[in-house]
């Protein structure tokens, strides 16, 4: 196409090409007059396969949203945006395409507790249970927003079918499988301004999504392609404490920004780092064979590729106006030492693949069963960085390569259910989950493209979890029903290793076992209201990273504890649910007590002082949640979803860090609220407005970070979103949306996006 200039960004060229294809399809469909055609159905077959893997029959809290509702109401540039308005949930998405820090927070778990929730897509585990923290985010990029059929969330560890990592919530993405020929395409462009300190950046992203599916009798196939090209604002800032200044020689500089850090102490911000440009490609193929109306064999193959660069910008200038990135400098007459890598760029080259195979039978007979296997592999995972600060990301020189090849996880499960009667069901199953983490860091002569040389560090290990469960569901009368379950688990850790250039230390194998009982009961007091009570124990075992990541000093391993205890939680909730005309109203009281919670902290009660992952004696969380979902509020064309959550989460015991006792658990605010209202203005227009609120919270165990509006702070926020969607006909639609309409600057250690506009055009056939 001659109008596609080579000077245009590659994602923009692709967007124009897709738009041209869509335009030709539109013209063809218009001339064909398909709107007036009549399709005669010879036979209608209803398939009974469950649309979600979650056990929604358990009388406990669950919420869901359809893919059509996501496309109608939410500015969804990433799969995690589908969760944006769920009660009590928050995904820390710092920018569009955030691939390594977008952690899910739940009622009693903050955005530093990634291993306290489970995320699945089509039965494949997306949660990265190799660690517990911001860098172990679920692999959201393996789901395209365009392919979402629905998303369901089960709150709490009340199903025996899931491991103790379900203590916060279990999220299940179901992606589309066709019943006839389907073709979908979407092009989106997102733009937002970012103004902070000395930075004036533009957040821009171009997304191109295309999918194609069809059914041929018992066989069906679905192909989904997605590209996201995103340029984001800085997410980190090089800094020095003002109190660290001293006397001595250095380069006089100007430009440092005098601010206060999250603890209210004076510091200087020296430059912006982590300004991310990422191009992510997703290709996914799903095949299904319906052996009969109740039995399906499915195969899923997916590949996600990411080419990312993180740039830097120094605020400091010498007398000649040259940028200064490192070395001794003089700020306001005092000498400060800037580390060589304080403002260093990075480049990531990643290719992850996933595979899934399942056989499921769900029918009207006495027996149902399911067999499933999945594998997630870091086929290539390279992170390159220079050894010294550089004025530009394309400057060469020696550096390091962190290679994660060999990292990944596999899951296998077999389950069955037996319906003795219509009111009596027994479920049971076996599961096996294995996780392997391997990261080697090598020196290289050219950090941009050079080959690895001598190894400088090694970090590796494996964990495995084998589980068996039994769960009994019984309807005792028209008013009373119950679900009782028991889960047994055996966990092991092995092949732990930590090394440097010349040594490798190995850790002993560990194994532990535990039982986790579950129970839920429901009383239907009438046709329009019910009471539900649930209680469950969850054992969350340490991850590879928590056990083995540390450092080597004086021929010994320091700063890690391979003998960490597992977290043990008991969670309970009581819900009143009222059916309304067009919706439901739910009020829930919840309580959780966790012993030996895993957190990074400093133990000053020993000599020498050590900072690492440690067990926190006890954390208690008590709260309440209100949730309303209604279609036709006040007017029949107005839909409303709203929720309000209060959580009092307090550290009750912590022998290693007494100053934290009585303080609030990090990143769990007392108050959260969401409101989403959609007005269907006629047959073609949908107008949506949303509010998201999160109250005061802390990042430190002792709540010493009292200044929340700062880098490394965790601030309260109230932001407004809006979306206007227009449907031209059955095939074409367009939407204009804005997130953070007021342009608020708010933080969760890193800054979130400011005001961000999104324009989207879709074609569906």
């Amino acid at each position: 196409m001659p109008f596609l200039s080579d000077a245009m960004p590659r994602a923009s060229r692709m967007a124009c090409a897709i738009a041209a294809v869509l335009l030709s399809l539109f013209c063809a469909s218009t001339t064909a007059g398909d709107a007036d055609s009549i399709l005669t159905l010879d036979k209608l077959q209803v398939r009974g396969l469950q649309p979600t893997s979650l056990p929604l029959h358990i009388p406990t809290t669950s919420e869901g949203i359809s893919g059509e509702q996501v496309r109608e109401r939410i500015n969804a540039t990433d799969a995690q945006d589908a969760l944006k308005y769920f009660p009590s949930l928050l995904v820390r998405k710092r920018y569009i395409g955030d691939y390594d820090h977008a952690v899910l927070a739940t009622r009693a778990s903050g955005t530093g507790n990634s291993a306290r929730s489970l995320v699945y897509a089509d039965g494949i585990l997306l949660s990265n249970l190799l660690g517990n923290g911001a860098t172990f985010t679920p692999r959201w990029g393996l789901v395209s927003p365009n392919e979402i059929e629905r998303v369901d969330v089960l709150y709490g560890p009340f199903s025996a079918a899931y491991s103790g990592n379900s203590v916060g919530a279990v999220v299940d993405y179901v992606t589309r499988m066709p019943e006839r020929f389907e073709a979908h395409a979407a092009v989106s462009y997102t733009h937002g301004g970012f103004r902070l300190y000395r930075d004036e950046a533009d957040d821009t992203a171009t997304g191109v999504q295309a999918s194609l599916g069809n059914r041929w009798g018992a066989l069906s196939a679905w192909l989904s392609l997605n590209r996201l090209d995103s340029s984001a604002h800085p997410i980190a800032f090089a800094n020095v404490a003002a109190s660290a200044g001293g006397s001595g020689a250095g380069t006089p500089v100007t430009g440092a920004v005098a601010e206060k850090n999250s603890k209210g102490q004076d510091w200087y911000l020296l430059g912006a780092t982590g300004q991310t440009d990422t191009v992510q490609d997703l290709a996914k193929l799903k095949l299904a064979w319906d052996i009969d109306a109740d039995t399906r064999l499915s195969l899923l193959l997916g590949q996600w590729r990411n080419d990312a660069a993180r740039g830097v910008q120094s605020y400091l200038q010498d007398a000649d106006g040259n940028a200064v990135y490192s070395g001794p400098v003089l700020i306001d007459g005092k000498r400060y030492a800037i580390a060589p890598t304080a403002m260093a760029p990075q480049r990531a080259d990643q290719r992850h693949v996933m595979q899934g195979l399942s056989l499921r039978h769900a029918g009207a007979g006495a027996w149902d069963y399911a067999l499933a296997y999945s594998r997630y592999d870091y086929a290539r995972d390279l992170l390159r960085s220079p050894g010294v600060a550089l004025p530009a990301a394309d400057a060469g020189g020696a550096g390091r390569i962190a290679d994660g090849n060999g990292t990944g996880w596999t899951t296998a499960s077999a389950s069955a259910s037996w319906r003795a009667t219509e009111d009596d069901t027994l479920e049971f199953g076996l599961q096996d989950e294995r996780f392997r983490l391997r990261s080697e860091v090598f020196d290289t002569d050219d950090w941009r493209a050079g080959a690895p040389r001598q190894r400088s560090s090694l970090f590796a290990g494996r964990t495995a979890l084998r589980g068996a469960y039994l769960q009994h569901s019984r309807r005792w009368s028209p008013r009373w029903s119950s679900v009782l379950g028991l889960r047994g688990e055996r966990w092991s850790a092995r092949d732990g290793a930590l090394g440097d250039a010349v040594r490798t230390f190995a850790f002993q194998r560990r194994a532990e076992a535990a039982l986790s009982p579950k129970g839920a009961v429901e009383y239907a007091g009438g046709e329009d209201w019910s009471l539900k009570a649930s209680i469950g124990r969850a054992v969350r075992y340490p991850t590879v990273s928590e056990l083995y990541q540390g450092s080597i000093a004086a021929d010994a391993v320091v700063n890690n504890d391979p003998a960490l205890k597992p977290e043990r939680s008991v969670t309970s909730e009581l819900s009143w649910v009222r059916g309304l005309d067009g919706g439901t109203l739910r009020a829930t009281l919840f309580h959780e007590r966790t012993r030996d919670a895993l957190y990074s902290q400093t133990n000053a009660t020993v000599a020498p002082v050590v900072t690492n992952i440690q067990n926190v004696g006890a954390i208690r969380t008590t709260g309440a949640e209100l949730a309303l979902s209604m279609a036709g509020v006040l007017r029949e064309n107005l839909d409303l979803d709203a929720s309000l959550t209060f959580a009092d989460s307090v550290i009750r015991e912590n022998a290693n860090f007494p100053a934290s006792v009585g303080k609030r658990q990090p990143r769990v605010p007392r108050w959260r609220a969401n409101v989403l209202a959609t007005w269907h203005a006629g047959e073609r227009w949908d107008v949506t407005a949303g509010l998201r609120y999160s109250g005061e919270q802390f990042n430190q165990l002792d709540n010493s970070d009292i200044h929340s509006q700062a880098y490394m702070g965790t601030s309260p926020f109230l932001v407004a979103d809006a979306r206007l969607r227009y449907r031209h006909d059955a095939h074409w639609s367009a939407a204009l949306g804005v997130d953070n309409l007021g342009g608020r600057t708010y933080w969760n250690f890193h800054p979130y996006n400011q005001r961000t506009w999104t324009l989207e055009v879709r074609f569906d056939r």
Side-chain angles (χ1 to χ4, degrees):
M1 298 180 185
F3 63 88
L4 296 183
S5 168
D6 291 338
M8 296 176 66
R10 52 183 165 175
S12 298
R13 296 200 304 270
M14 179 174 285
C16 292
I18 293 293
V21 173
L22 293 180
L23 182 60
S24 64
L25 289 173
F26 171 68
C27 294
S29 64
T30 302
T31 57
D34 59 342
D36 298 326
S37 61
I38 299 175
L39 177 64
T40 302
L41 297 177
D42 177 60
K43 180 174 64 175
L44 179 64
Q45 184 177 31
V46 179
R47 302 184 184 276
L49 295 173
Q50 187 175 341
T52 176
S53 66
L54 298 185
L56 301 182
H57 63 281
I58 297 179
T60 189
T61 300
S62 62
E63 299 282 349
I65 188 171
S66 69
E68 178 57 31
Q69 289 173 321
V70 171
R71 290 181 280 274
E72 176 185 275
R73 306 174 183 182
I74 299 175
N75 304 315
T77 54
D78 299 283
Q80 58 265 43
D81 289 330
L83 303 175
K84 193 181 295 185
Y85 295 96
F86 273 69
S88 303
L89 300 187
L90 171 72
V91 178
R92 188 184 73 157
K93 176 182 164 183
R94 304 168 300 172
Y95 58 87
I96 296 171
D98 190 355
Y99 60 90
D100 60 354
H101 276 69
V103 174
L104 173 65
T106 57
R107 288 171 175 169
S109 303
T111 53
N113 300 115
S114 61
R116 286 174 59 85
S117 59
L118 292 172
V119 179
Y120 293 88
D122 298 316
I124 294 181
L125 179 66
L126 298 186
S127 290
N128 187 345
L129 302 182
L130 297 165
N132 179 47
T135 58
F136 296 95
T137 179
R139 310 315 301 165
W140 306 106
L142 270 296
V143 178
S144 166
N146 187 53
E147 63 175 335
I148 295 174
E149 180 75 15
R150 65 174 297 105
V151 186
D152 292 291
V153 177
L154 182 70
Y155 291 75
F158 304 120
S159 171
Y162 296 100
S163 69
N165 302 95
S166 65
V167 61
V170 183
V171 179
D172 181 43
Y173 284 83
V174 178
T175 62
R176 293 185 61 80
M177 283 301 291
E179 292 297 324
R180 55 177 177 79
F181 175 77
E182 294 184 34
H184 308 270
V187 178
S188 64
Y189 177 75
T190 302
H191 181 272
F194 185 82
R195 306 293 181 267
L196 183 65
Y197 304 137
R198 296 190 184 278
D199 292 287
E200 293 189 7
D202 287 332
D203 287 292
T204 61
T206 303
V208 180
Q209 305 173 50
S211 53
L212 192 69
N214 202 356
R215 170 176 289 278
W216 306 271
L219 300 176
S220 57
W222 182 268
L223 175 65
S224 178
L225 303 173
N226 183 48
R227 163 162 281 206
L228 177 66
D229 189 342
S230 173
S231 297
H233 61 267
I235 55 175
F237 302 89
N239 58 82
V240 293
S243 60
S247 59
T251 302
V253 296
T254 59
V257 178
E259 280 284 347
K260 291 189 179 294
N261 65 15
S262 62
K263 295 187 177 183
Q265 302 163 337
D266 293 326
W267 68 354
Y268 289 106
L269 299 174
L270 312 177
T273 65
Q275 186 163 352
T276 306
D277 291 337
T278 175
V279 179
Q280 301 174 31
D281 293 301
L282 171 65
K284 187 186 297 184
L285 175 65
K286 298 195 299 177
L287 302 173
W289 173 32
D290 290 332
I291 300 171
D292 56 41
D294 302 323
T295 309
R296 172 174 288 181
L297 178 66
S298 301
L299 173 67
L300 186 149
L301 302 172
Q303 176 177 266
W304 174 79
R305 300 188 64 175
N306 178 37
D307 182 9
R310 284 183 166 148
V312 300
Q313 174 192 351
S314 176
Y315 299 158
L316 306 180
Q317 292 183 335
D318 62 17
D320 297 325
N322 300 314
V324 177
Y325 288 82
S326 62
V329 298
L330 297 178
I331 302 175
D332 294 338
K334 292 185 178 181
R335 182 183 185 276
Y336 296 88
I338 306 176
T341 57
M343 288 180 275
Q346 290 182 332
R347 285 186 173 177
D349 179 12
Q350 299 172 296
R351 183 171 66 88
H352 294 185
V353 296
M354 68 175 184
Q355 307 144 55
L357 181 66
S358 65
L359 176 66
R360 301 181 186 276
H361 174 84
W367 286 92
D368 291 337
Y369 60 84
L371 301 171
Y373 172 85
S374 70
R375 184 175 181 86
Y376 191 98
D377 280 318
Y378 288 36
R380 183 171 66 249
D381 197 276
L382 301 176
L383 179 63
R384 295 174 174 269
S385 58
V388 297
L390 296 171
D394 57 356
R400 295 168 298 176
I401 304 172
D403 187 351
N405 183 34
T407 296
W409 54 87
T410 61
T411 67
S413 65
S415 61
S417 64
W418 173 54
R419 283 182 290 274
T421 67
E422 184 178 344
D423 298 323
D424 199 336
T425 303
L426 185 66
E427 305 167 75
F428 50 92
L430 300 172
Q431 297 161 341
D432 184 279
E433 300 177 352
R434 304 186 183 195
F435 304 89
R436 183 192 183 200
L437 191 155
R438 184 173 183 83
S439 177
E440 288 188 273
V441 180
F442 298 92
D443 297 328
T444 182
D445 297 330
D446 180 3
W447 74 275
R448 299 170 305 169
R453 300 299 184 187
Q454 182 178 352
R455 188 188 80 185
S456 59
S457 66
L458 165 70
F459 164 45
R462 298 173 186 257
T463 60
L465 186 66
R466 295 172 175 85
Y469 70 91
L470 186 68
Q471 195 157 262
H472 177 246
S473 303
R474 175 68 185 246
R475 178 172 295 278
W476 300 94
S477 71
R479 294 187 180 274
W480 288 96
S481 61
S482 67
V483 177
L484 299 176
L486 180 65
R487 181 178 182 85
E489 293 176 326
R490 186 181 187 277
W491 168 86
S492 62
R494 63 183 179 91
D495 297 342
L498 189 66
D500 57 17
V502 295
R503 298 159 296 185
T504 299
F505 292 86
F507 299 96
Q508 293 183 348
R509 180 187 177 104
R510 282 184 58 191
E512 295 193 22
L515 292 175
S516 299
K518 324 276 186 177
V521 63
E522 179 177 13
Y523 172 72
E527 293 184 358
D528 56 358
W529 71 273
S530 65
L531 285 174
K532 302 178 181 181
S534 309
I535 188 168
R537 183 178 192 252
V539 179
R540 204 278 283 179
Y541 290 98
T543 61
V544 174
S545 177
E546 290 170 313
L547 289 170
Y548 301 131
Q549 192 166 25
S551 58
I552 298 174
D555 293 326
V557 175
V558 297
N559 298 333
N560 81 333
D561 182 4
L564 287 170
K565 301 175 184 177
E567 294 183 347
R568 294 165 291 131
S569 301
V570 176
T571 303
S572 57
E573 70 169 39
L574 175 65
S575 293
W576 172 78
V577 182
R578 175 68 183 267
L580 305 174
D581 185 14
T584 58
L585 173 64
R586 174 175 57 83
T588 299
L589 301 176
F590 58 88
H591 178 83
E592 179 179 299
R593 184 173 180 85
T594 298
R595 301 204 64 87
D596 296 319
L598 292 165
Y599 267 102
S600 176
Q601 65 178 11
T602 299
N603 184 357
T605 66
V606 297
V609 173
V610 62
T611 300
N612 61 358
I613 303 295
Q614 300 170 27
N615 288 113
V616 174
I619 298 177
R620 186 268 299 149
T621 303
T622 301
E625 183 179 87
L626 286 173
L628 172 69
S629 180
M630 283 196 66
V633 179
L634 301 179
R635 304 178 59 172
E636 64 179 13
N637 55 356
L638 179 63
D639 299 338
L640 179 67
D641 291 277
S643 65
L644 175 66
T645 303
F646 171 79
D648 183 36
S649 190
V650 179
I651 299 171
R652 289 302 189 188
E653 301 175 21
N654 193 1
N656 291 350
F657 192 14
S660 68
V661 176
K663 306 297 184 179
R664 286 157 58 183
Q665 184 182 185
R667 301 189 185 181
V668 179
R670 282 189 172 168
W671 292 98
R672 283 183 181 141
N674 293 320
V675 178
L676 191 67
T678 300
W679 174 39
H680 305 285
E683 296 182 357
R684 298 182 183 270
W685 294 92
D686 299 307
V687 183
T688 300
L691 289 173
R692 293 174 284 135
Y693 172 76
S694 179
E696 180 188 52
Q697 53 190 299
F698 299 93
N699 191 51
Q700 302 294 323
L701 285 165
D702 61 356
N703 298 174
S704 58
D705 47 328
I706 56 175
H707 183 47
S708 63
Q709 296 291 338
Y711 174 49
M712 300 186 188
T714 309
S715 59
F717 63 83
L718 174 63
V719 294
D721 310 322
R723 184 172 176 86
L724 176 65
R725 186 190 188 207
Y726 170 72
R727 293 184 298 278
H728 177 71
D729 55 26
H731 302 305
W732 286 90
S733 63
L736 175 66
V738 59
D739 284 339
N740 192 2
L741 179 61
R744 181 183 179 91
T745 299
Y746 61 109
W747 303 79
N748 196 324
F749 196 97
H750 305 278
Y752 285 100
N753 277 49
Q754 296 174 1
R755 184 185 300 110
T756 305
W757 294 88
T758 299
L759 176 63
E760 177 186 286
V761 177
R762 290 183 54 87
F763 176 82
D764 299 283
R765 183 177 177 85

